[in-house]
Amino acid sequence: MTNEQIWQGVLGEIEINLSRANFVTWFKDTFISSFEDGQVIICVPNAFVKKWLEEKYHKNIISALENTTKQKIDQIIYKIELRHNNEPIFQVNEPKTNPIKTASQTSNSISKSSDRDINRGTNKHGLNPRYVFENFIVGKGNELAHAACLAVVENLGKSYNPLFIYGGVGLGKTHLLQAVGNAVAQKTDKILYVTSEKFTNNYVQAVKSGQAKEFKNLYRNVDLLLVDDVQFMGGKDGTQEEFFHTFNELQQNDRQIVLTSDRPPKSIPAIENRLISRFESGMVADVGKPDIETKMAILEKKALEKGFPLDKEIITYVAERVQNNIRELEGALTKIIVSHQFKGVNPSVNSVKEVLNDYVSNIKTKSLTPKEVIESTAKFYSLSYKDLISKGRKKELVWPRQIAVYLIREEIGTSYPSIGIELGGRDHTTAMHSYNKIEQEVKSGNEKIKQEINSIKQLLNSDY
Ligand code: ADP
Ligand code: MG
């Protein structure tokens, strides 16, 4: 076996257990340069990949190497080295890029003077100075996104472009996005942070007032473009068109783009395919719910910052009670501090419990299961649970089934593969399709559906 063949075998095995985005990120442009007496030298394109392979994938690589070669591997050395021949070891679907255009405009066209809505407490780039890496706690749910952000800062426009971060509300996407901006602000001034809504509004405004050219100059001449909540571009065709061109122009000139969204590119409803493929062309990283350790670390740090340190016991208690996201965790902490300061008492587990009883019951602590959602949906449509998870494809069944998918996703956030399993072993693409279909109906203002969904939600709340 040649080194090339061995590495192909290893990659084949590793790929099975990784998302495409992860796989491409960590294994693109890697190869074996030497394999002798159980010692392997694996070449990687940069220090970031090296560190990540050493820390995260070392065991997987050893075991895949041993499986492939049927030899014991004693040592792996990861070495930073670029491949000499340009033949890619595996095909990555990268967008065809057009010849690089030169940016003819100068940097002074980047002026934010037209922005009237710079928030209080934000700096000149519209960034909140509180959102920095230094106070971002890294844990299981966010380590990939965090690492990717650091890599982007270190190697602007050259490591992952674009970087696409997605995940549920309150999990730190905006914090990370702005942390990139704040870090890069130390090197360049040409930074633009916008929500996709603001991009849309600016664009519409510019076209109306005959300033489309100025708009283009502003957005296409930055070193770093940060777009928050890009899912809101769904359905806005004109904006998507403009964004597509902005995007290409920046990407071709190695200007960095970082995007956030509440869902992966493919699941954004009513978004053009060419944009999806652009969004996926760099790195896609998700942020998930924090585990208990991360929540505790965040609480401890934030309590200290606010000059109100809490005992470990209290911190554990709060971290266990607040389930959903970090924003709620912060809300709970603020509530605890205010309440104790007001009463002038020192916090104890009991007194904290009292405060949280009000707070947590308001933020829905009952955890709903997919099965309960399916049952309630079936009940609403006078069907049985079995009907809904059956293979039957009659119209009377298909519709309620799609509604159930939508509700499970909305109310619980279950992954598509798991939803498919819950619904009688369906494929995840079916689940995704169902969700998109109902979501589109809801968004397009289908009142009948909205009412049905609300009624089922009420059933869910009353039954469980
Ligand atoms: P999202 O954009 O995903 O909805 P945000 O970035 O607005 O979430 O985060 C919500 C709040 O939680 C912010 O105040 C943010 O600073 C805080 N936060 C989120 N993740 C972390 C973290 N890992 N460490 C510290 N604070 C965090
Ligand atoms: Mg956000």
Side-chain angles (χ1 to χ4, degrees), residues 170 172-175 193 228-229 260 327:
K173 299 183 298 295
T174 299
H175 189 138
Y193 166 84
D228 211 352
D229 288 320
T260 73
R327 192 170 295 144

Side-chain angles (χ1 to χ4, degrees), residues 55 95 120 128 130 203 331 368:
E55 285 174 10
R120 273 235 200 129
N128 184 336
R130 215 173 54 80
Y203 177 61
L368 205 59

Side-chain angles (χ1 to χ4, degrees), residues 226-277:
L226 305 164
V227 185
D228 211 352
D229 288 320
V230 79
Q231 75 272 6
F232 291 126
M233 272 189 202
K236 294 173 186 142
D237 297 345
T239 305
Q240 286 183 34
E241 166 92 26
E242 177 59 30
F243 189 60
F244 178 74
H245 294 299
T246 305
F247 191 103
N248 285 345
E249 179 95 9
L250 292 175
Q251 201 184 39
Q252 282 158 23
N253 291 305
D254 283 346
R255 312 291 182 85
Q256 182 70 45
I257 305 159
V258 187
L259 311 154
T260 73
S261 160
D262 68 351
R263 63 199 78 189
K266 275 209 182 63
S267 310
I268 302 175
I271 192 118
E272 294 177 21
N273 281 334
R274 57 181 185 166
L275 268 183
I276 296 178
S277 82

Side-chain angles (χ1 to χ4, degrees), residues 45-102:
N46 58 51
F48 181 57
V49 170
K50 176 171 184 281
K51 184 158 173 282
W52 202 270
L53 293 192
E54 280 168 350
E55 285 174 10
K56 302 279 168 191
Y57 293 114
H58 184 66
K59 281 202 187 114
N60 308 43
I61 295 172
I62 290 205
S63 106
L65 271 169
E66 290 184 340
N67 286 341
T68 307
T69 61
K70 307 278 179 275
Q71 282 179 38
K72 173 125 183 36
I73 304 299
D74 300 319
Q75 197 190 11
I76 298 183
I77 296 166
Y78 299 91
K79 194 173 146 202
I80 302 170
E81 189 179 315
L82 293 176
R83 176 178 280 280
H84 291 306
N85 62 352
N86 287 329
E87 269 172 51
I89 193 159
F90 61 79
Q91 288 298 322
V92 179
N93 290 331
E94 266 161 348
K96 294 257 178 308
T97 46
N98 296 325
I100 292 180
K101 293 177 194 156
T102 48

Side-chain angles (χ1 to χ4, degrees), residues 37 46 49 51 125 153 157 160 164 175 177 193 202 212 274 289 308 358 365 400 422 428 441 443:
D37 306 327
N46 58 51
V49 170
K51 184 158 173 282
H125 303 293
V153 170
Y160 307 111
F164 187 103
H175 189 138
L177 185 70
Y193 166 84
N202 280 2
R274 57 181 185 166
K289 283 194 183 175
F308 201 83
D358 299 338
T365 46
E422 293 287 345
H428 74 277
E441 292 290 335
K443 283 220 167 130

